[in-house]
């Protein structure tokens, strides 16, 4: 009987803690976006942002994401974003971004892919690991009237590993075509 009461109490405490943390994450995102806007004039948006994942993790979902820095004349716009952390492995963040990514700077570039996934293992001062995996990657010159393809690859992988004072970086293309 006491064991059931203790388990019920622990379950209720965990549930309350999860929702408090999710609320803090949401407020932290709002504060970070507001700080960027106030200090640098930067605009960042996560359309229809939703935080979910109870009970085993935290998931951030956006229907579309964008970033604009008028001082640097840079705008980025992409499709849906989904990121996740698991309570049993909080330093690891995984995410998926839907294309296309439209880059507007002194040049215009569109990147598209069938799948783009990334993972980051957080550490201080640099992440201990970053991995990016893209399938059917295509880069298009959006400045040209004919939307000229610049390059394409069936698969792209990039990895960064932080080993103390050294940083290892590796990238690999499969079936790369440069036009």
């Amino acid at each position: 009987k006491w064991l059931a009461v203790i388990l019920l109490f622990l379950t209720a405490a965990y549930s309350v803690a999860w929702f408090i943390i999710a609320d803090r994450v949401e407020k932290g995102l709002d504060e970070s976006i507001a700080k960027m806007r106030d200090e640098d004039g930067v605009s960042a948006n996560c359309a229809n942002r939703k935080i979910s994942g109870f009970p085993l993790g935290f998931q951030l979902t956006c229907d579309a994401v964008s970033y604009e820095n008028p001082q640097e004349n840079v705008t980025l716009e992409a499709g849906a974003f989904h990121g996740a952390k698991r309570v049993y492995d909080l330093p690891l963040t995984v995410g998926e971004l839907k294309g296309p990514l439209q880059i507007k700077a002194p040049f215009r570039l569109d990147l598209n892919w069938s799948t783009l996934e990334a993972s980051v293992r957080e550490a201080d001062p640099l992440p201990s690991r970053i991995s990016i995996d893209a399938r059917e990657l295509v880069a298009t010159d959006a400045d040209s009237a004919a939307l000229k393809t610049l390059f394409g690859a069936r698969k792209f992988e990039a990895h960064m590993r932080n080993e103390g004072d050294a940083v290892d970086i590796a990238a690999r293309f499969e079936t790369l075509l440069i036009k």
Side-chain angles (χ1 to χ4, degrees), residues 124-140:
D124 192 27
L126 294 173
S128 63
R129 183 179 57 83
I130 300 174
S131 294
I132 300 170
D133 181 32
R135 307 292 170 117
E136 308 301 330
L137 178 64
V138 177
T140 306

Side-chain angles (χ1 to χ4, degrees), residues 69-106:
N69 185 335
Q71 292 177 353
E72 300 294 328
N73 194 26
V74 174
T75 301
L76 306 173
E77 296 176 347
F81 171 78
H82 178 85
K85 284 184 166 294
R86 298 290 173 223
V87 294
Y88 50 83
D89 193 5
L90 286 175
L92 179 64
T93 303
V94 296
E96 181 179 356
L97 183 64
K98 300 290 183 189
L101 169 62
Q102 297 175 327
I103 302 169
K104 296 174 189 164

Side-chain angles (χ1 to χ4, degrees), residues 160-178:
M160 186 280 300
R161 183 177 61 197
N162 182 10
E163 294 287 335
D165 292 339
V167 175
D168 294 330
I169 298 175
R172 173 173 129 13
F173 289 93
E174 188 175 295
T175 316
L176 175 64
L177 176 61
I178 300 173

Side-chain angles (χ1 to χ4, degrees), residues 103-162:
I103 302 169
K104 296 174 189 164
F107 58 89
R108 289 185 51 206
L109 180 69
D110 288 353
L111 293 173
N112 209 345
W113 51 83
S114 61
T115 305
L116 176 67
E117 299 171 331
S119 65
V120 177
R121 180 154 303 274
E122 299 166 23
D124 192 27
L126 294 173
S128 63
R129 183 179 57 83
I130 300 174
S131 294
I132 300 170
D133 181 32
R135 307 292 170 117
E136 308 301 330
L137 178 64
V138 177
T140 306
D141 178 358
D143 277 334
S144 68
L147 295 175
K148 178 183 169 191
T149 298
L150 300 174
F151 70 86
R154 191 162 66 89
K155 183 175 181 179
F156 168 71
E157 293 179 7
H159 305 279
M160 186 280 300
R161 183 177 61 197
N162 182 10

Side-chain angles (χ1 to χ4, degrees), residues 32-33 36-37 40-47 64-79 101-105:
S32 295
I33 290 170
M36 285 191 307
R37 183 180 53 246
D40 302 320
V42 170
S43 170
N45 187 36
C46 170
V65 292
S66 63
Y67 170 88
E68 182 177 11
N69 185 335
Q71 292 177 353
E72 300 294 328
N73 194 26
V74 174
T75 301
L76 306 173
E77 296 176 347
L101 169 62
Q102 297 175 327
I103 302 169
K104 296 174 189 164

